[in-house]
Structures are given as C-alpha cells and as structure tokens.
Amino acid sequence: PAEGEINYMNVEGVRYEIEPEDNTLEFFRYKDSPLLTMNLCIHPYTYHNHVELDDEDNCFCMYIECARIGIRDVKELKGKVFHHSDFEGYVYLYEHEPNREETMEILDVTDSKILIRWSGICNLEGGYNFDSVFETGYEIKDGYRSYSSLENE
C-alpha cells in the first residue's frame, strides 16, 4: 500500500486514524515453548462529531491477546494470513466484545516494524464491518505478561 493508504481503519464507512506510536505489538516466548505468542492492541480514533462510539474522544480499542501464532522468528510472519479460528480478537469500548470473521494478513516485516491488514466484524452496537491497514513497531520478550499487568507498570 502507498503511504496514504496505511494507518487507517474503516468501520461501516467511517474512517478512523491509527497512530503507529499508540499501538502495542509484543511477542512472547513461554518458557515451555520456542514458539512465539502475540499480543496486539490498537486505538483507532476519529474527530468526526457525528461518530459517538465513545462520548469522551471518539476512539475505541481493538486487541488480540495471547495468540499462539506457531512461529519461532518474527520474520516468518511475512505473507502469513490468520483467520478468526487462529486467535481471539476483541474490541473494547465500554466492555469487551469478541470480534467475528476476522482475517489478519502480515504484509511486511522489517527489523523494527510490521505492516498488517486486519478486517472482520467488530461487535459494537450489534456488529460493524471493519477493515484496516496499519504499521506498528514491535518487541520480543521472554515470559508472559497480559495487558492488565502492563497497565499497572
């Protein structure tokens, strides 16, 4: 995709922006396995006044937590396509709701960034179609930590 065609999410025709620095993408190695596990969290937002998904700032959070992706090295991700059955994705607005019919394609991987296309249905007020393309940095860590433990640091 061209520069202007990344870092966005469309939800039922409304375009949201995704700031790469607001994303969290981490890979973990559990002690009992050489395979990586993925945590991803993005915060799409819009300044359109007619969008009232969140009364405070028109943003929401979408995330995948503890997805065992079956690779040993992040570079193996390039070109891989994951489907809903491969991981559990969620949207968070006022409460956690599971996504449905998701597809995630890893378009590119460098030493410091990953380019991702993610689409499906997010369950906000009955379910909205979404599609996105965004770039984010990433970290690789040993052991496991959840997002709730990251918030307490």
Side-chain angles (χ1 to χ4, degrees):
E3 181 63 32
E5 297 174 356
I6 65 172
N7 298 325
Y8 72 87
M9 176 176 280
N10 289 321
V11 180
E12 290 294 312
V14 176
R15 185 180 172 103
Y16 288 77
E17 302 302 319
I18 300 173
E19 294 290 339
E21 61 270 11
D22 292 338
N23 301 334
T24 304
L25 177 57
E26 296 175 325
F27 297 97
F28 298 90
R29 283 192 180 92
Y30 287 87
K31 290 180 182 178
D32 64 342
S33 173
L35 300 179
L36 292 175
T37 297
M38 177 178 73
N39 282 352
L40 168 65
C41 185
I42 64 173
H43 298 272
Y45 69 92
T46 181
Y47 294 116
H48 297 115
N49 291 329
H50 67 280
V51 177
E52 297 179 4
L53 293 177
D54 184 329
D55 293 335
E56 289 185 26
D57 56 7
N58 288 331
C59 72
F60 57 94
C61 173
M62 293 187 65
Y63 67 95
I64 294 167
E65 192 169 30
C66 300
R68 295 203 176 216
I69 53 178
I71 62 165
R72 294 172 184 262
D73 186 304
V74 174
K75 298 266 173 118
E76 295 175 45
L77 282 173
K78 186 172 181 175
K80 284 210 178 275
V81 177
F82 298 98
H83 300 283
H84 180 71
S85 59
D86 298 318
F87 50 68
E88 292 292 325
Y90 290 86
V91 61
Y92 179 80
L93 180 57
Y94 298 114
E95 58 188 63
H96 294 75
E97 302 176 56
N99 295 333
R100 301 190 318 265
E101 299 177 27
E102 292 175 281
T103 299
M104 180 178 287
E105 181 181 1
I106 310 302
L107 302 175
D108 196 16
V109 179
T110 68
D111 289 335
S112 61
K113 294 184 179 180
I114 295 181
L115 184 63
I116 297 172
R117 175 178 286 128
W118 188 16
S119 61
I121 298 173
C122 59
N123 288 347
L124 289 171
E125 299 174 10
Y128 289 125
N129 291 312
F130 74 91
D131 69 277
S132 63
V133 176
F134 59 94
E135 184 176 67
T136 185
Y138 63 89
E139 291 183 73
I140 301 173
K141 300 182 177 185
D142 291 323
Y144 166 75
R145 293 188 318 187
S146 67
Y147 284 113
S148 57
S149 68
L150 292 174
E151 291 171 1
N152 295 325
E153 291 183 354

